[in-house]
Amino acid sequence: MSGIRVRFAPSPTGDLHIGGVRTALFNCLFAKSQAGKFILRIEDTDEARSTEGSVQAILDAMKWLELGWDEGPGREETKYSPYYQMKRKEQGVYQRYADELVAKGFAYPCYCTQEEVDEMRKKAQADKLPPKYDRRCRYLTAEDRKRKENKWAKAVIRFKMPDSETTILNDLIRGKVEFNNSLLDDFIIMKANGVPTYNFACVIDDYLMDITHVLRGDDHISNTPRQIRIYDALNWQVPKFAHMAMILGSDGARLSKRHGHTSVLEYRKEGYLQEALINYLALLGWSTEDSQQVFTIEELKQKFSIERCGTSPATFDTEKLLWLNGEKIRSKTPKQLFELFVDWLKYTNNEKLIEGWDIELLQKSILLEQEKIKLLKDIPFLVNFFFTKDIEYQEEAVNKILLSDKSKDSAELVLNESAVILARQQQDFSALALEKYARDLAKEKNIKTGQVFHPIRVAISGRTQGPSLFHMMELMGKDEVVRRISVAINKFF
């Protein structure tokens, strides 16, 4: 099985999207699980829409996701290079095989204009027939072709599809799939400007790059009979195909921006971890027998198999991805999480968010909130109250906990008592000692513990939610806690 070679071949007409990443991931996992090779090829024959910026965005996303390719851009010192189709076109790769197909009678030049082809299709639709090219240039004589060429008509090259019978695909996921050849038209393999079309170029490249398996989304399944016929015409062995179920949004529609970010790097900006996104995408269309949900990258490489891929569409669930990201964050050591946070700050140009913050205090405060963090972008808001001298009091928190008719008297009492007693605390300002103090105060004043805990929390953080109160106080230290309580007393009572 070490001879297995698979490829991911994105078109650089935009950012790398979720569907593309899932395809890249499954190819990468399959290659790694079988000791094979994973190739990255840039299919940039769409001249009008392909850009260098999109190429770079694809490479950046692949690197962030750690979907390392064995061959491709940046790793081109192989007998299979180059890995950009337009560079291969410049070398005459596609023209050579197009000419061979014409010479053998499997393809022919077509001189019809786009307007003429559009009219053919409209007429076919009106006649309730499949809207396809009517093959008029297929039957031109040599003299007819010469007359066309003498008129400077620019020709495309079309492949001759069989008139009858079926083309059979033995798909590794879907089993046997049959296509009625009579419903397929003679498709263009070379444009008039000498640029190959997708169906032709990918066949030539897959063969010349010794690709053994083609794993891709099932939106490509309609292309497969055309590609199989090109393989047959050139007397080449057809690779094994596996078409993965498409990804849908929660409403059952095809995944789009309304379901969340489609561009992968947007998830990085949001603060998702690379491994969480990889883990989640692996579950879209694939599963283990025991329905395991959380994987390390190594586990995915060991357990992935095409046989466990399903045929039903997968649903992209943002809430599940968010849950999984939280799981991955909780699995990190404090050092790992802090490093991931710093990397996120740099990537998003948000380093000013922690400008002037004490790094040791930041690391400790993140640890206090680690169980609650779902996204790296949550961290600044969760811990920023540790680093300000002027607390931002949430209006709802103040009105409910400090100033309501029900709570005002007890809140004032608790804060006044705490300002005095905590200032006298000589040595032990640990979370354990602070909790004992708060509970003893509640008992002494004959009030509920919440009537002690909540006012102190709002006074020192400005919020009703946050880390464990007493660990938070321990981390702030006695002087800062007393100062904040005093500020709250002066401001609200």
Side-chain angles (χ1 to χ4, degrees):
M1 298 292 280
S2 61
I4 283 178
R5 290 174 59 83
V6 297
R7 49 74 168 178
F8 173 54
S11 176
T13 55
D15 293 335
L16 185 57
H17 289 186
I18 287 297
V21 174
R22 199 270 305 264
T23 298
L25 173 62
F26 281 25
N27 275 279
C28 184
L29 293 177
F30 179 63
K32 302 306 179 187
S33 69
Q34 303 295 334
K37 297 289 185 182
F38 174 49
I39 292 92
L40 175 61
R41 184 174 71 225
I42 304 298
E43 298 195 338
D44 54 353
T45 53
D46 187 340
E47 296 174 283
R49 298 169 60 216
S50 295
T51 66
E52 284 297 322
S54 293
V55 171
Q56 192 57 54
I58 290 169
L59 298 181
D60 289 346
M62 294 283 285
K63 289 174 184 176
W64 173 59
L65 293 167
E66 297 181 12
L67 295 173
W69 53 97
D70 300 299
E71 300 171 20
R75 297 186 175 185
E76 304 210 29
E77 296 302 317
T78 77
K79 66 179 181 179
Y80 301 106
S81 62
Y83 293 91
Y84 292 80
Q85 285 187 330
M86 287 306 286
K87 290 182 180 179
R88 298 172 72 78
K89 179 256 180 187
E90 291 168 6
Q91 295 178 351
V93 171
Y94 309 112
Q95 191 64 55
R96 181 164 67 250
Y97 290 103
D99 292 342
E100 180 180 334
L101 288 172
V102 172
K104 290 180 176 178
F106 289 107
Y108 59 92
C110 170
Y111 305 92
C112 299
T113 64
Q114 185 59 53
E115 291 74 18
E116 289 172 325
V117 174
D118 290 342
E119 282 301 315
M120 294 175 207
R121 288 176 174 156
K122 287 179 184 177
K123 184 178 184 304
Q125 283 182 311
D127 295 337
K128 297 184 178 179
L129 296 171
K132 62 181 187 177
Y133 175 66
D134 67 8
R135 298 178 169 178
R136 64 183 62 176
C137 287
R138 180 169 177 165
Y139 306 108
L140 292 177
T141 64
E143 292 179 354
D144 291 334
R145 291 197 180 97
K146 191 171 183 179
R147 279 195 293 273
K148 294 276 188 182
E149 289 165 3
N150 287 338
K151 291 182 179 179
W152 303 98
K154 289 185 177 181
V156 299
I157 297 177
R158 290 183 181 272
F159 184 82
K160 290 182 180 179
M161 285 297 290
D163 293 314
S164 59
E165 300 181 344
T166 60
T167 298
I168 296 174
L169 162 66
N170 292 305
D171 194 273
L172 295 176
I173 296 175
R174 298 170 182 279
K176 185 178 180 180
V177 184
E178 295 189 39
F179 301 89
N180 186 339
N181 292 330
S182 66
L183 299 178
L184 303 174
D185 61 359
D186 290 357
F187 60 97
I188 296 172
I189 59 174
M190 292 289 282
K191 301 174 189 176
N193 62 359
V195 174
T197 59
Y198 165 75
N199 278 316
F200 185 55
C202 75
V203 168
I204 303 304
D205 289 339
D206 285 347
Y207 172 75
L208 295 179
M209 292 181 179
D210 289 332
I211 300 301
T212 61
H213 295 69
V214 176
L215 281 64
R216 58 189 181 186
D218 64 4
D219 52 328
H220 282 289
I221 201 165
S222 61
N223 293 317
T224 310
R226 298 174 173 88
Q227 293 170 13
I228 289 174
R229 285 299 173 178
I230 295 174
Y231 279 106
D232 291 343
L234 290 167
N235 199 28
W236 291 346
Q237 182 175 341
V238 179
K240 294 178 180 179
F241 287 95
H243 289 88
M244 300 169 286
M246 70 169 58
I247 303 174
L248 304 178
S250 56
D251 58 357
R254 188 162 184 167
L255 195 64
S256 66
K257 286 185 178 181
R258 72 175 179 274
H259 302 112
H261 302 300
T262 51
S263 172
V264 171
L265 291 177
E266 287 299 317
Y267 286 91
R268 185 178 186 184
K269 291 177 183 176
E270 283 288 295
Y272 285 91
L273 304 192
Q274 161 266 344
E275 61 199 88
L277 192 57
I278 288 293
N279 188 157
Y280 181 66
L281 290 179
L283 300 174
L284 296 182
W286 173 81
S287 63
T288 57
E289 288 186 14
D290 59 357
S291 298
Q292 182 178 344
Q293 297 294 299
V294 182
F295 296 85
T296 65
I297 301 301
E298 286 306 313
E299 283 179 318
L300 288 174
K301 291 176 182 177
Q302 292 168 12
K303 297 187 177 185
F304 181 83
S305 67
I306 294 177
E307 292 75 20
R308 294 294 304 173
C309 292
T311 57
S312 300
T315 301
F316 189 86
D317 183 347
T318 304
E319 288 302 312
K320 185 172 181 178
L321 172 59
L322 190 61
W323 165 81
L324 189 54
N325 202 62
E327 291 290 305
K328 295 293 184 180
I329 284 175
R330 284 186 285 279
S331 73
K332 298 300 175 187
T333 66
K335 183 174 184 293
Q336 289 172 330
L337 180 55
F338 180 72
E339 289 173 350
L340 286 166
F341 175 55
V342 171
D343 286 343
W344 176 81
L345 289 172
K346 290 178 180 176
Y347 179 73
T348 57
N349 295 316
N350 276 314
E351 291 168 284
K352 286 188 176 180
L353 285 176
I354 65 168
E355 197 170 54
W357 289 11
D358 180 276
I359 296 302
E360 184 178 353
L361 177 59
L362 174 58
Q363 291 174 315
K364 291 179 179 178
S365 64
I366 290 174
L367 180 58
L368 283 185
E369 287 286 56
Q370 187 164 354
E371 289 298 312
K372 297 178 183 176
I373 299 168
K374 293 182 178 179
L375 297 167
L376 295 176
K377 75 171 185 178
D378 297 340
I379 293 175
F381 172 75
L382 290 172
V383 303
N384 62 7
F385 64 87
F386 279 101
F387 306 94
T388 181
K389 292 297 180 185
D390 300 317
I391 302 170
E392 292 184 15
Y393 296 95
Q394 293 177 346
E395 184 177 355
E396 183 180 355
V398 170
N399 291 337
K400 180 180 179 181
I401 304 300
L402 300 184
L403 300 182
S404 71
D405 293 339
K406 184 178 179 181
S407 64
K408 185 174 182 179
D409 290 343
S410 61
E412 183 177 9
L413 170 66
V414 165
L415 293 184
N416 281 320
E417 289 278 336
S418 297
V420 174
I421 297 173
L422 292 178
R424 294 175 185 163
Q425 200 91 341
Q426 291 301 313
Q427 294 181 351
D428 193 357
F429 206 75
S430 67
L432 193 61
L434 290 167
E435 183 174 1
K436 182 179 185 306
Y437 155 74
R439 292 187 182 281
D440 287 346
L441 180 61
K443 188 175 181 180
E444 178 189 331
K445 302 302 180 183
N446 196 29
I447 57 178
K448 295 178 180 179
T449 54
Q451 290 176 283
V452 177
F453 296 177
H454 298 325
I456 294 176
R457 178 182 292 279
V458 173
I460 67 175
S461 71
R463 308 170 182 179
T464 57
Q465 301 294 321
S468 159
L469 172 61
F470 306 110
H471 287 92
M472 178 170 72
M473 293 171 71
E474 179 183 342
L475 184 55
M476 281 185 182
K478 182 181 75 173
D479 292 346
E480 184 63 12
V481 167
V482 172
R483 185 191 73 81
R484 292 184 180 213
I485 291 175
S486 299
V487 168
I489 294 171
N490 293 330
K491 185 175 182 68
F492 300 112
F493 302 105

